[in-house]
Amino acid sequence: MESTLKDITVAGGVEDMYGEDRATEDQLVTPWTISVASGYSLLRDPHHNKGLAFTDKERDAHYLRGLLPPVTMSQKLQEKKLMDNIRQYQVPLQKYMAMMDLEERNERLFYQLLIDNVEELLPVVYTPTVGEACQKYGSIFKRPQGLYISLKEKGKILEVLKNWPEKSIQVIVVTDGERILGLGDLGCQGMGIPVGKLALYTALGGVRPSSCLPITIDVGTNNEQLLKDEFYIGLRQRRATGKEYYDLLHEFMTAVKQNYGEKVLIQFEDFANHNAFELLAKYSTTHLVFNDDIQGTAAVVLAGLVAALKLLGGSLAEQTFLFLGAGEAGTGIAELIALEMSKQSKAPLEETRKKIFLVDSKGLIVSSRKDSLQHFKKPWAHEHEPVKDLLNAVKAIKPTVLIGSSGVGQTFTKEVIEAMASFNEKPVILALSNPTSQSECTAEEAYTWSQGRAIFASGSPFDPVEYKGKVYLPGQANNAYIFPGLGLGLVISGAIRVHNAMLLAASEALAGQVSKEHFDKGLIYPPFSNIRKISAHIAANVAAKAYELGVATHLPQPENLVKYAESCMYNPNYRTYR
Ligand SMILES: NC(=O)C1=CN([C@@H]2O[C@H](COP(=O)(O)OP(=O)(O)OC[C@H]3O[C@@H](n4cnc5c(N)ncnc54)[C@H](OP(=O)(O)O)[C@@H]3O)[C@@H](O)[C@H]2O)C=CC1
Ligand SMILES: CC(=O)C(=O)O
Ligand SMILES: [Mg+2]
């Protein structure tokens, strides 16, 4: 049978309150009508396919009779079946591929499954498995999941954007693949990261999937292995730099604004630090941009620290911080902590920075190194004698909080953690590097070497640890807590700029979601199972700040921003087709 284009009337078209399908006044009283394929093509359309959940009535109305076996299955039962299937795979990458296949077949089921099983599936669609997926992206790549903009598209980027089938884009996550997690330069194969981040925008933050656009900018790669790999999917050349690089990026940024307007959010992700800071500084005054690795990470770590103070007692200003890694994540977090301390204590920023020390690949950052330091390290070049390695830095500085943002695994050694535990009753140890292979230490190491006294969280998840008969629950300090809610807040308020105050607002909202029940379990982050509620609170705080700062364009300001944020969230429950 020929499939035909047919108008499908969707019942209750009020669930999605913003974006492309925003219900107009009329549509709020009468169900809306959209044209989608019927029959065989409907089953092949991931946006509308419901598989066995099509009712008999729908099968009759939309030429589906005989195309499906006779049984009708609820969305809940479909979820149960899929989880049974996914749990049978032993290899994480197989689970990842099963999830990507589902997204290509049935988008609503994919998101419902992810929302309902978020703690189990987050490590599948996100870190750590997404890292392996990027490393192997060339061989698992099936259908385009986002836009590829390479040097070959120079001069044509606006046309390329127009090739994307969805027109009302609200959030773009863009990478150039040069620093994918702690795995280095993965070139064009970095696409897995924007795809994964945007899946979280929808599942965790409720931004509708059709408004999300993953983009990979391909300017080549310096990864020799990829350059030699006959199946590599990207440009087979070394990375363009300097003017050639910045001209392409500028054309991209200009085309995005021209095509989607000034309210589209651009999240920079996993750029190398030699470009990341510059791109952020250059475009933060003209576009709605933020850098997730610098700013999103900072907001999540600050929230964890504020929550940890409930366990430690005392104020932020009474802590001393030491970082291993002084790049995007390290200096971004350091700056937001210093800002918050300055806000709390009214001390000047230059003063509060003095409680924060960073170690890079050459040792402690000290004033005698100032001339040779990259600009983002200079504020941290304190008066101190040079120290070559982390262990000696820990012994010299005696931090209360140790943060790993180096991208190098196993760097928090037994000696380092024992030293932290020797002068802290409850040492705070955050091993932020991703994926799991790059974590500065494991949860088990942190608890064992500190004799169960560490307050520990990591970028990638670890299972609970049993030590001397007690079970310890490690938290996950990952920017995934922040960017979905931050993005939702920016979208619903129609913000046109991101300010640091909004990141502080996001951070405060997250810290506010950590309850006594979590503290009692030693947790400094709430569980991801509550993430949609958490995201609504983050979104509300961010939107409120956007209104306060005068950068919100959706007027008037809704009265109850939390309720409004919740009402705007994409709901992947199947719709009824009439
Ligand atoms: N949990 C989360 O939410 C997030 C985690 N991350 C993770 O943080 C890690 C770093 O990311 P990012 O900051 O963007 O990377 P950058 O490349 O910007 O920074 C890495 C820093 O680590 C330093 N470094 C590298 N090797 C060593 C070493 N052996 N000893 C001491 N310092 C070292 C580098 O030193 P030098 O400057 O001298 O080269 C640099 O300062 C990654 O693994 C990433 O996955 C990032 C963002 C969010
Ligand atoms: C989590 C993240 O953004 C990173 O590891 O780069
Ligand atoms: Mg990142």
Side-chain angles (χ1 to χ4, degrees):
M1 184 198 65
E2 281 280 300
S3 15
T4 50
L5 258 185
K6 190 174 187 304
D7 282 349
I8 285 186
T9 308
V10 181
V14 283
E15 69 191 25
D16 303 310
M17 293 289 289
Y18 65 93
E20 176 191 23
D21 292 344
R22 190 182 184 110
T24 62
E25 289 289 295
D26 279 356
Q27 287 164 334
L28 290 177
V29 282
T30 53
W32 58 30
T33 302
I34 43 175
S35 290
V36 294
S38 61
Y40 190 74
S41 302
L42 177 54
L43 299 180
R44 296 270 159 165
D45 174 355
H47 305 302
H48 301 101
N49 181 27
K50 302 198 284 185
L52 291 177
F54 283 110
T55 62
D56 281 333
K57 224 167 140 190
E58 288 171 332
R59 292 179 195 202
D60 282 334
H62 301 291
Y63 308 98
L64 295 171
R65 277 270 164 221
L67 299 182
L68 292 163
V71 80
T72 304
M73 207 180 263
S74 68
Q75 194 173 10
K76 265 275 158 260
L77 195 57
Q78 286 181 314
E79 281 190 62
K80 183 170 184 287
K81 186 176 95 178
L82 276 159
M83 284 313 292
D84 283 353
N85 287 348
I86 286 171
R87 284 176 186 143
Q88 275 171 25
Y89 292 120
Q90 298 302 314
V91 179
L93 196 61
Q94 288 177 326
K95 295 183 192 234
Y96 176 88
M97 289 170 71
M99 286 299 285
M100 292 302 117
D101 281 347
L102 175 61
E103 190 180 15
E104 279 180 11
R105 261 193 342 264
N106 184 336
E107 189 177 82
R108 284 179 175 265
L109 190 53
F110 169 82
Y111 282 113
Q112 196 64 62
L113 197 73
L114 191 48
I115 291 168
D116 290 343
N117 302 276
V118 66
E119 299 216 322
E120 187 172 347
L121 293 178
L122 208 54
V124 174
V125 299
Y126 191 53
T127 186
T129 313
V130 71
E132 190 186 351
C134 287
Q135 288 173 312
K136 298 176 180 161
Y137 203 76
S139 32
I140 60 179
F141 169 79
K142 285 186 186 163
R143 284 204 225 156
Q145 293 179 296
L147 274 179
Y148 294 90
I149 297 176
S150 78
L151 288 168
K152 286 204 236 173
E153 280 69 57
K154 189 168 165 35
K156 303 179 209 161
I157 296 182
L158 189 58
E159 286 168 51
V160 175
L161 294 179
K162 291 189 190 296
N163 287 344
W164 187 249
E166 305 290 350
K167 301 302 166 207
S168 305
I169 297 302
Q170 293 174 317
V171 184
I172 290 173
V173 177
V174 60
T175 188
D176 72 356
E178 192 167 2
R179 197 285 278 141
I180 294 297
L181 307 178
L183 301 171
D185 183 351
L186 297 185
C188 195
Q189 302 193 167
M191 180 58 105
I193 291 294
V195 168
K197 293 271 176 184
L198 284 163
L200 269 48
Y201 261 99
T202 299
L204 277 49
V207 177
R208 37 181 313 114
S210 58
S211 310
C212 295
L213 173 54
I215 297 186
T216 295
I217 306 243
D218 184 355
V219 295
T221 178
N222 296 338
N223 181 325
E224 296 299 336
Q225 228 180 323
L226 290 179
L227 288 172
K228 278 189 225 135
D229 180 353
E230 64 175 319
F231 298 120
Y232 177 53
I233 57 172
L235 284 186
R236 204 173 294 276
Q237 65 166 72
R238 294 186 72 77
R239 280 186 179 273
T241 57
K243 187 171 180 328
E244 193 181 8
Y245 177 87
Y246 280 99
D247 281 354
L248 191 77
L249 265 290
H250 192 67
E251 185 187 337
F252 166 69
M253 294 301 290
T254 309
V256 165
K257 201 163 165 182
Q258 195 175 335
N259 205 39
Y260 302 118
E262 63 176 351
K263 285 185 271 180
V264 63
L265 170 63
I266 304 172
Q267 170 170 327
F268 290 122
E269 190 69 50
D270 289 10
F271 283 73
N273 61 40
H274 49 254
N275 294 318
F277 288 99
E278 197 166 332
L279 289 171
L280 182 62
K282 186 166 176 190
Y283 294 106
S284 58
T285 54
T286 53
H287 289 65
L288 182 69
V289 292
F290 79 101
N291 182 301
D292 186 38
D293 302 297
I294 302 171
Q295 298 170 292
T297 314
V300 83
V301 170
L302 178 61
L305 294 173
V306 167
L309 290 176
K310 300 245 166 73
L311 291 165
L312 291 172
S315 68
L316 211 52
E318 285 167 274
Q319 309 303 317
T320 306
F321 301 87
L322 179 64
F323 287 76
L324 181 71
E328 294 166 69
T331 62
I333 300 162
E335 187 67 7
L336 203 67
I337 294 174
L339 263 175
E340 179 62 18
M341 280 202 270
S342 166
K343 200 176 129 191
Q344 284 179 11
S345 63
K346 310 272 183 283
L349 192 57
E350 295 70 40
E351 278 307 305
T352 56
R353 282 181 180 146
K354 288 185 180 155
K355 294 296 296 286
I356 305 174
F357 295 82
L358 294 97
V359 170
D360 66 7
S361 65
K362 297 186 179 66
L364 188 66
I365 296 182
V366 289
S367 53
S368 58
R369 292 178 53 195
K370 202 158 188 173
D371 291 344
S372 59
L373 291 173
Q374 288 142 290
H375 67 92
F376 50 87
K377 292 180 183 169
K378 287 189 196 285
W380 312 101
H382 304 317
E383 291 300 328
H384 196 286
E385 63 196 34
V387 182
K388 277 234 150 17
D389 59 56
L390 178 66
L391 180 58
N392 283 310
V394 168
K395 288 179 178 167
I397 286 159
K398 297 199 170 30
T400 54
V401 179
L402 178 65
I403 300 179
S405 52
S406 62
V408 187
Q410 286 109 49
T411 35
F412 289 174
T413 58
K414 188 165 186 273
E415 292 73 24
V416 165
I417 295 195
E418 282 177 350
M420 284 294 292
S422 70
F423 45 79
N424 288 299
E425 180 49 36
K426 286 184 184 295
V428 178
I429 296 172
L430 306 181
L432 300 182
S433 293
N434 297 313
T436 316
S437 58
Q438 311 309 110
S439 187
E440 282 80 6
C441 65
T442 65
E444 187 172 5
E445 289 165 346
Y447 293 123
T448 310
W449 294 338
S450 67
Q451 293 148 357
R453 286 187 280 124
I455 298 174
F456 177 79
S458 53
S460 297
F462 282 106
D463 287 337
V465 173
E466 199 181 323
Y467 173 73
K468 293 196 173 163
K470 191 174 163 195
V471 175
Y472 294 83
L473 299 176
Q476 191 176 351
N478 193 295
N479 49 33
Y481 274 109
I482 288 288
F483 66 78
L486 172 68
L488 181 67
L490 296 169
V491 165
I492 62 173
S493 61
I496 52 162
R497 296 288 177 270
V498 180
H499 290 294
N500 267 339
M502 294 163 164
L503 288 146
L504 283 176
S507 185
E508 267 165 31
L510 176 57
Q513 292 299 307
V514 194
S515 66
K516 175 153 186 335
E517 185 200 340
H518 305 131
F519 295 130
D520 290 346
K521 292 182 188 155
L523 283 171
I524 55 170
Y525 292 101
F528 270 109
S529 51
N530 261 346
I531 187 69
R532 284 204 147 205
K533 180 178 158 250
I534 298 166
S535 293
H537 282 271
I538 294 175
N541 252 27
V542 168
K545 193 52 81 178
Y547 284 105
E548 188 188 317
L549 295 173
V551 293
T553 59
H554 290 169
L555 300 171
Q557 175 176 345
E559 229 166 74
N560 185 331
L561 276 167
V562 176
K563 278 215 170 93
Y564 183 65
E566 276 168 349
S567 76
C568 289
M569 283 184 165
Y570 166 77
N571 176 350
N573 274 339
Y574 287 148
R575 295 161 170 192
T576 303
Y577 299 151
R578 299 216 173 113

